[in-house]
Amino acid sequence: AYLEESPDESYEDWRNGWVFDASSNKFWFLETMSSINQQAWRTVNGHRRSTLTDEDGETQTIPYCKRWLTDADAVRVNGTTIAPEQSLLTKDNQLNLWRDYWARLHADEGEPEGSEAVELFKELADFLCDGRGEIIDMLLNWMGFGLFNPAIRVRWSILLISDLKGAGKSMLCSTIARLYGLENASILPGLGGLLSNFNGSILEGKAFVAVNETVDKGDGSKFGAVEALKSFISDDQISVEHKGQDRRKVDNYARFMFCSNHTDGLPFEKNERRFGVIVCQATQALDPAFYARFAEIFEDDQALADLAAWLKAHYTDPLPNTAPPSDTALIQDELIEDWVAMLNDHVDDTRMYPVALPANDMREIADRLSGRKLSDNHRAKVLKRGGWTRGKFKGKRCYWRGDRQPDYLDEDLKNEL
């Protein structure tokens, strides 16, 4: 019944819809830009046959798949790549997996002037950024530049934090994903899939990757997730793996956005510039009617087109190579452990900088204030986040606090604490 309702297309039309990648031994279906192995390719196309007349005038029926394998006009490539704004087949005979973004294709259809969709989006951005003009501009320009400059890498991400659940973070991410086109985006509930071994389907060929909650801690270390994410955010090539295939390097043009309900959901060092941090400090969400209307109006593609046109007209300024100043300090305050905060408060109240003390004294202070025996590695990391530098002074290992190296070691601090 299926075959009767879906008559076979001509062999030539069918052939032109497939490309074979020799590097992975897979076929790519160009209509959906998805790949399958040879066995699956033969299975899904096994019913397709064509009638041929040979040189002797004999008529024979031959499967499309068999005919394809000996067809000189069938397209074969050496591999796949991501090459924004380039042809489907690149000069070095690779299949270009890049697909143009929805916003670029439809922005000219938008009518942003007086658009309710644009006003609703502006209201949501204003709410999440606490009405701060510079932060709002950072967010919107990050969105607009990424959408309308696909060939230029964006080497920093957005980290949107709000203790308030239901503020609209996920709604914002979903709208951005639709502007890129859902086939170009990955929206994840957490970091697990992104950091797993088999991350190929999440990353390869994607232009926008959003994580709705970053509570995962990566490899078990509180900072493990950030270390793993750094290459995804800023490297020109990233390592991906599909099940049944070897891990390999692919070109990387993805823009990353992370959301969290916790200030320490994605902790990083104070000098880290791969994150443009936005901390929404609202204690009450917008009226439920706002979110209902937002969801309703953005079901219409015209609303997305209006938003795309508005972003294109006002928010495509070149981005800096690293994230501009943002709410990073708020995260750093949350990441300083209580015992380090106690130590810093005492030193700041009773000493002049720089302050230095022997490493053995710091070990005793740390164990005493924390109430447990800390490992050398953990103690060094949390002290570094608290503004302490580890080094040597006159041949002795020590820690110091201040902008320059110490002149002497403070032998009294241990007894005071």
Side-chain angles (χ1 to χ4, degrees), residues 289-302:
F290 168 84
Y291 299 105
R293 181 57 180 160
F294 189 101
E296 177 185 7
I297 199 167
F298 274 101
E299 289 180 358
D300 186 355
D301 284 349
Q302 184 60 50

Side-chain angles (χ1 to χ4, degrees), residues 244-312:
Q245 297 184 31
D246 293 336
R247 180 166 286 273
R248 60 195 179 93
K249 291 280 190 179
V250 298
D251 292 329
N252 175 31
Y253 287 91
R255 288 80 158 109
F256 289 83
M257 185 170 182
F258 305 96
C259 299
S260 182
N261 293 323
H262 309 278
T263 309
D264 64 346
L266 198 61
F268 52 85
E269 304 291 357
K270 65 179 181 180
N271 295 323
E272 179 57 61
R273 296 295 299 277
R274 292 178 178 88
F275 298 93
V277 183
I278 302 172
V279 179
C280 174
Q281 302 194 49
T283 58
Q284 185 175 352
L286 293 168
D287 191 287
F290 168 84
Y291 299 105
R293 181 57 180 160
F294 189 101
E296 177 185 7
I297 199 167
F298 274 101
E299 289 180 358
D300 186 355
D301 284 349
Q302 184 60 50
L304 279 178
D306 292 349
L307 179 58
W310 178 70
L311 289 170
K312 183 179 181 180

Side-chain angles (χ1 to χ4, degrees), residues 127-168:
F127 173 71
L128 293 173
C129 298
D130 294 326
R132 295 170 294 168
E134 291 184 1
I135 299 297
I136 295 171
D137 288 344
M138 178 187 75
L139 172 63
L140 296 178
N141 210 61
W142 182 87
M143 288 175 52
F145 182 85
L147 283 166
F148 294 101
N149 295 274
I152 302 178
R153 293 282 297 115
V154 176
R155 301 183 187 276
W156 52 278
S157 62
I158 291 291
L159 173 57
L160 179 56
I161 300 171
S162 171
D163 291 337
L164 176 66
K165 295 183 179 180

Side-chain angles (χ1 to χ4, degrees), residues 162-214:
S162 171
D163 291 337
L164 176 66
K165 295 183 179 180
K169 300 187 297 295
S170 297
M171 183 173 281
L172 180 72
C173 288
S174 297
T175 305
I176 298 174
R178 291 182 60 198
L179 287 170
Y180 276 97
L182 295 181
E183 70 280 3
N184 289 322
S186 291
I187 301 180
L188 310 174
L191 289 170
L194 189 59
L195 301 177
S196 67
N197 288 332
F198 304 115
N199 59 3
S201 60
I202 292 172
L203 289 172
E204 188 171 8
K206 301 302 181 182
F208 177 69
V209 179
V211 178
N212 282 331
E213 179 50 69
T214 62

